[in-house]
Amino acid sequence: MVANPTLLFPERNGQTRGATSERLLAVENVNLEYRTRERIVRATHDVSFDVYGGDRFVLLGPSGCGKSTLLKAVAGFIEPTSGRISLDGQTVRGPGADRIVVFQEFDQLPPWKTVLQNVAFPLRVAKKLSRAEANERALHYLEKVGLASFAHAYPHTLSGGMKQRVAIARALAMQPRVLLMDEPFAALDALTRRKMQEELLRLWDEVNFTLLFVTHSIEEALVVGNRILLLSPHPGRVRAELNSHQYSQDSFGRGDFQRSVARIHHLLFEETEAAQ
Ligand SMILES: Nc1ncnc2c1ncn2[C@@H]1O[C@H](COP(=O)(O)OP(=O)(O)OP(=O)(O)O)[C@@H](O)[C@H]1O
Ligand SMILES: [Mg+2]
């Protein structure tokens, strides 16, 4: 549980809560550090949160507050110096097919494989599907992201947004327990970014997955997330946990949306008042 959550959009019972009552991911009192020869950099301090089945859980905080480090720890690439991360009650001890990451970079697809091969390959390796089964499932998810007609194209012939769609299809095809996304739309132009946020929500509706999403954009957090964890500047500590159920793309210009953005900005950056 998060200590003293500040509730921006309180639920009926005054507690933030997940989309279902099934707790998938538990992050408990996690400290993360980088040890270089010269010094130790503490990336996060005593961070705790729970992700429930069907959540769109967002980690929101300024640059350098440890969002990517936290996501890497959940993915199993980094081990906490203290605290515990568990999935379905089992301590995370390394990477696994139950947690797939979509990164910001457009070069996450091997360029020598076609779109279809990119999506199908991990299914054959990690899920042990036959070529025919893997191709069938890959095509199904490529259809979901609107790219079935590009199945035989190579990544370098695609736009940035299309590459991110392939990366999303590849991740969803693995049917992970939690889909991890680290600023997946940050390198896209503003219009494409909005479109991708919309598509992600549509996919979530259709495919029904659990999402842990990292961003430093307050607007993106409000649109994408149903729950938002606010992290303080470096080293990241939990500042507040919020619910955000009522916003969509259409909310952008609205007064209540802008007030929520201002409120979160205040919570993130004006420490004394936020701590009260
Ligand atoms: N490989 C590394 N070695 C040493 N320190 C690192 C390393 N990677 C990150 N850090 C430090 O850890 C802290 C958290 O970094 P992290 O990349 O997790 O932040 P972030 O919240 O994802 O930032 P951004 O929004 O800019 O992506 C920063 O102070 C950063 O300098
Ligand atoms: Mg980052």
Side-chain angles (χ1 to χ4, degrees):
M1 276 305 294
V2 172
N4 302 319
T6 307
L7 300 170
L8 185 65
F9 316 114
E11 286 295 312
R12 280 189 304 275
N13 61 3
Q15 290 288 312
T16 57
R17 65 171 171 85
T20 73
S21 55
E22 187 195 357
R23 184 171 78 164
L24 286 188
L25 179 71
V27 173
E28 297 165 276
N29 308 107
V30 164
N31 287 301
L32 293 162
E33 289 174 356
Y34 291 100
R35 285 161 192 270
T36 61
R37 213 174 298 158
E38 299 80 37
R39 60 197 183 113
I40 296 173
V41 179
R42 174 161 283 196
T44 69
H45 181 75
D46 199 24
V47 170
S48 299
F49 61 90
D50 292 327
V51 177
Y52 291 81
D55 264 342
R56 299 185 313 276
F57 196 97
V58 174
L59 302 175
L60 172 65
S63 183
C65 78
K67 304 179 296 296
S68 295
T69 308
L70 257 173
L71 209 75
K72 283 178 194 154
V74 170
F77 300 130
I78 298 176
E79 204 184 322
T81 27
S82 61
R84 179 173 182 248
I85 299 174
S86 54
L87 187 67
D88 295 317
Q90 301 293 313
T91 302
V92 165
R93 299 204 189 278
D98 49 7
R99 287 148 291 137
I100 305 290
V101 195
V102 173
F103 295 98
Q104 175 181 329
E105 293 76 17
F106 295 153
D107 61 1
Q108 56 193 303
L109 307 170
W112 58 88
K113 288 189 194 301
T114 64
V115 164
L116 183 70
Q117 288 164 348
N118 258 289
V119 180
F121 182 69
L123 295 172
R124 297 194 64 193
V125 175
K127 298 280 180 180
K128 310 269 185 274
L129 298 190
S130 70
R131 184 187 298 269
E133 287 167 332
N135 284 352
E136 191 185 335
R137 197 195 287 186
L139 259 180
H140 172 78
Y141 283 92
L142 284 170
E143 265 163 31
K144 292 262 174 236
V145 300
L147 285 182
S149 56
F150 289 85
H152 302 294
Y154 283 88
H156 75 274
T157 64
L158 306 180
S159 70
M162 289 160 88
K163 284 181 196 164
Q164 290 311 78
R165 284 196 192 96
V166 177
I168 293 169
R170 181 177 62 174
L172 286 177
M174 293 288 284
Q175 301 172 337
R177 295 290 282 158
V178 190
L179 173 63
L180 310 173
M181 299 183 106
D182 190 354
E183 310 229 27
F185 311 141
L188 299 168
D189 64 89
L191 224 61
T192 311
R193 184 172 188 168
R194 279 200 186 191
K195 195 154 181 285
M196 294 294 289
Q197 292 163 355
E198 216 168 86
E199 283 192 19
L200 182 66
L201 292 176
R202 180 185 54 73
L203 276 172
W204 177 84
D205 238 11
E206 276 181 35
V207 181
N208 247 307
F209 52 89
T210 304
L211 177 65
L212 180 59
F213 187 99
V214 161
T215 184
H216 63 257
S217 157
I218 299 174
E219 287 85 355
E220 183 165 74
L222 282 168
V223 171
V224 167
N226 70 320
R227 300 170 63 217
I228 306 173
L229 193 76
L230 303 191
L231 294 167
S232 68
H234 176 76
R237 299 165 190 258
V238 174
R239 187 150 273 178
E241 189 180 319
L242 318 168
N243 290 306
S244 171
H245 294 295
Q246 68 266 63
Y247 294 122
S248 70
Q249 288 286 332
D250 306 328
S251 314
F252 269 61
R254 284 195 344 227
D256 57 341
F257 184 80
Q258 290 309 325
R259 278 191 293 281
S260 294
V261 171
R263 177 87 198 285
I264 291 179
H265 192 274
H266 184 80
L267 284 169
L268 280 174
F269 297 106
E270 290 166 50
E271 199 167 2
T272 1
E273 279 160 275
Q276 287 169 359

